Amino acid sequence: MQAKVVTVGLGYIGLPTSALIANSGIPVHGVDVSQHVVDTINAGKIHIVEPELDKAVAQGVEAGYLKADTKPVVADTYLVVVPTPFKGDHQPDISYVQAATENIIPLLKEGDLYIIESTSPVGTTEKMMELIYSKRPELEGKVYLAYCPERVLPGNVMHELVHNDRVIGGVDEQSTEKAMEFYRQFVVGELHATNARTAEMCKLTENASRDSQIAFANELSLICDKAGINVWELIRLANKHPRVNILQPGCGVGGHCIAVDPYFITADFPMESRMIAQARATNNYKPFWCAEKVKSARLEFELKHGRQPSIAIMGLAFKPNIDDLRESPAIHITERILQDAGDADLYIVEPNVEEHKVFKLTNYRDAVGKADIVVLLVAHNEFKSLDYDEEQIVLDFCGVRK
Ligand code: SAJ
């Protein structure tokens, strides 16, 4: 079947998007640098954990509408869905977007649509436009170029890809309209037209906004700890006000989005983005604060009992009820506890993961049964019904016991 759409990047967003498009009856040729990923998908299987994705990929592959490969082919629409990490100094790294675009450039023809979905610093779509036209000057003004960020929440991707509203910004009006037509084929949510720079900034704004709101909650947790106030109760009560809606404090902010995207603003606009930068700093500080609290509790226990306490570390994922450990503050805290704890017995728990390449994992009930100190890092459902005996010290950094 001749591919109509090429998607470059078959990760957490690229693969679900490819499967969704394929299952709408549009032949998709998905591209990934990893031969293992390509082989897995062509066998109708998946390499990431996401509810409903396995069925969608199996269906697309079986029907012949979804194929994976390490190289792109000629199509009508090209979607760039590759990672945009940051470099050492929190400077955005758009080299994967650039490499994907360079691979597509020789295949482009008049009338084609090129869309970047990867989170990108403001101006990236225009930069890629310049790159495309510098290599293919005959195409200037004859291809459609747009930016359309994804906004899906890991764990609910297959639903949100269809039902979330989307912001679509072309480098000109014709490009915006052409990209709107494309998404109309498989998105039920509303499509909002704008220009490429606004669409790029919109994605960064959404995640920077959430980061700032979480930073506010984390700041409250530090204040309440000093003031002897239960922060969870405080937030619950403050949220009874009709115009107040405070988020929840935690052991830090992780994942590959909220803890990364605000830097794409602060890198380009350092003087104007002080609050956004401070929110990042506050959220980055929280895991250190948690690790220090564990250390103090351990030293206090040692003084009182004349022996090292055993410690249960509950949760490694970057948020509740998922198996994703990327950029997880709970991992940083665990590493620090390991460094600090000398020869204390540590029981590390992550119910959503069978094995970890560095940490030996313990069943959550066993860990709580054996530990003198229980450190609650991630509010997984399993942890909500645990009982502790009176002697146990419970450090709840994620509000499981609120
Ligand atoms: N967190 C808190 N307190 C809260 C909410 C979250 O500490 O009240 C922490 C979580 O534990 C986690 C981090 O923040 O460590 C991020 O989790 P999240 O659920 O806020 O967001 P992500 O990273 O899973 O997905 C976000 C979403 N963006 C927004 O809600 C604005 C999602 O819609 C985006 O598509 C995704 O980033 C992305 O790909 O950019």
Side-chain angles (χ1 to χ4, degrees):
M1 210 175 297
Q2 172 66 39
K4 289 250 175 251
V5 174
V6 161
T7 48
V8 186
L10 294 172
Y12 282 84
I13 304 299
L15 181 57
T17 304
S18 305
L20 172 67
I21 300 171
N23 293 336
S24 324
I26 305 166
V28 178
H29 180 96
V31 179
D32 202 280
V33 286
S34 159
Q35 188 66 49
H36 167 71
V37 167
V38 165
D39 293 343
T40 308
I41 294 166
N42 284 334
K45 304 224 162 58
I46 57 174
H47 61 291
I48 47 182
V49 177
E50 177 61 41
E52 305 296 319
L53 179 61
D54 50 351
K55 276 187 247 156
V57 168
Q59 185 189 331
V61 171
E62 208 167 292
Y65 280 88
L66 176 61
K67 279 204 181 82
D69 197 353
T70 53
K71 299 257 171 335
V73 293
V74 170
D76 302 333
T77 299
Y78 297 87
L79 283 188
V80 176
V81 203
V82 293
T84 40
F86 55 69
K87 297 183 227 165
D89 199 15
H90 292 138
Q91 296 295 317
D93 174 4
I94 60 164
S95 60
Y96 296 113
V97 173
Q98 187 162 334
T101 306
E102 274 165 358
N103 282 336
I104 292 168
I105 288 175
L107 305 169
L108 283 175
K109 55 186 175 354
E110 199 174 326
D112 281 356
L113 172 63
Y114 160 98
I115 301 171
I116 304 176
E117 285 205 1
S118 310
T119 303
S120 300
V122 174
T124 303
T125 312
E126 288 168 353
K127 257 193 205 151
M128 292 306 115
M129 173 174 78
E130 281 160 23
L131 179 68
I132 293 168
Y133 293 158
S134 73
K135 303 240 163 126
R136 300 284 306 277
E138 78 281 10
L139 287 178
E140 191 158 345
K142 294 184 179 149
V143 286
Y144 303 98
L145 311 167
Y147 182 78
C148 177
E150 58 74 25
R151 307 159 120 178
V152 293
L153 202 65
N156 198 25
V157 170
M158 293 317 289
H159 176 84
E160 293 202 2
L161 271 180
V162 177
H163 295 276
N164 285 2
D165 284 15
R166 295 200 72 139
V167 172
I168 300 172
V171 294
D172 49 38
E173 275 178 29
Q174 295 83 335
S175 295
T176 308
E177 194 35 57
K178 184 88 173 169
M180 301 270 283
E181 264 170 43
F182 173 69
Y183 285 103
R184 252 182 229 123
Q185 299 176 98
F186 53 91
V187 172
V188 172
E190 251 184 82
L191 306 179
H192 304 274
T194 180
N195 56 49
R197 294 174 78 82
T198 308
E200 288 160 345
M201 186 62 184
C202 189
K203 170 71 189 182
L204 304 180
T205 301
E206 290 159 15
N207 281 350
S209 152
R210 190 151 169 92
D211 196 46
S212 303
Q213 292 177 53
I214 299 169
F216 182 75
N218 277 330
E219 187 164 299
L220 283 178
S221 73
L222 307 186
I223 295 168
C224 286
D225 184 68
K226 271 211 167 149
I229 294 168
N230 177 330
V231 69
W232 316 103
E233 185 193 3
L234 172 78
I235 291 174
R236 186 167 46 78
L237 295 175
N239 283 349
K240 298 285 179 202
H241 184 291
R243 285 172 296 283
V244 173
N245 190 7
I246 304 167
L247 291 178
Q248 299 298 302
C251 71
V253 169
H256 202 66
C257 307
I258 309 253
V260 175
D261 299 358
Y263 291 122
F264 289 18
I265 301 176
T266 57
D268 285 342
F269 309 97
M271 297 309 289
E272 296 78 11
S273 58
R274 308 254 176 113
M275 201 189 95
I276 295 171
Q278 183 54 48
R280 277 284 67 240
T282 301
N283 287 335
N284 280 343
Y285 170 65
K286 192 68 194 286
F288 292 93
W289 184 86
C290 295
E292 281 305 303
K293 283 273 157 198
V294 176
K295 190 173 177 181
S296 307
R298 182 175 61 77
L299 295 174
E300 222 172 279
F301 183 98
E302 220 179 309
L303 264 181
K304 193 167 163 198
H305 299 275
R307 65 169 177 91
Q308 287 271 10
S310 52
I311 305 174
I313 302 173
M314 308 293 285
L316 293 177
F318 87 80
K319 65 178 188 176
N321 307 319
I322 57 165
D323 68 338
D324 192 339
L325 311 185
R326 293 180 301 168
E327 317 283 335
S328 174
I331 299 250
H332 298 307
I333 297 170
T334 305
E335 284 165 352
R336 280 188 85 90
I337 297 174
L338 273 167
Q339 278 166 14
D340 280 351
D343 51 8
D345 284 333
L346 297 184
Y347 304 108
I348 302 173
V349 171
E350 178 41 71
N352 299 298
V353 170
E354 292 209 343
E355 255 185 289
H356 188 271
K357 57 183 186 313
V358 178
F359 308 129
K360 180 177 176 291
L361 300 180
T362 303
N363 170 283
Y364 68 97
R365 288 190 190 283
D366 295 347
V368 170
K370 290 179 191 160
D372 298 307
I373 300 178
V374 179
V375 182
L376 293 161
L377 295 180
V378 188
H380 289 313
N381 285 340
E382 290 86 345
F383 302 165
K384 291 189 175 154
S385 54
L386 289 169
D387 292 321
Y388 308 96
D389 67 43
E390 269 175 28
E391 297 291 293
Q392 270 178 316
I393 298 160
V394 182
L395 301 176
D396 182 2
F397 295 123
C398 54
V400 184
R401 304 216 299 165
K402 62 184 167 201

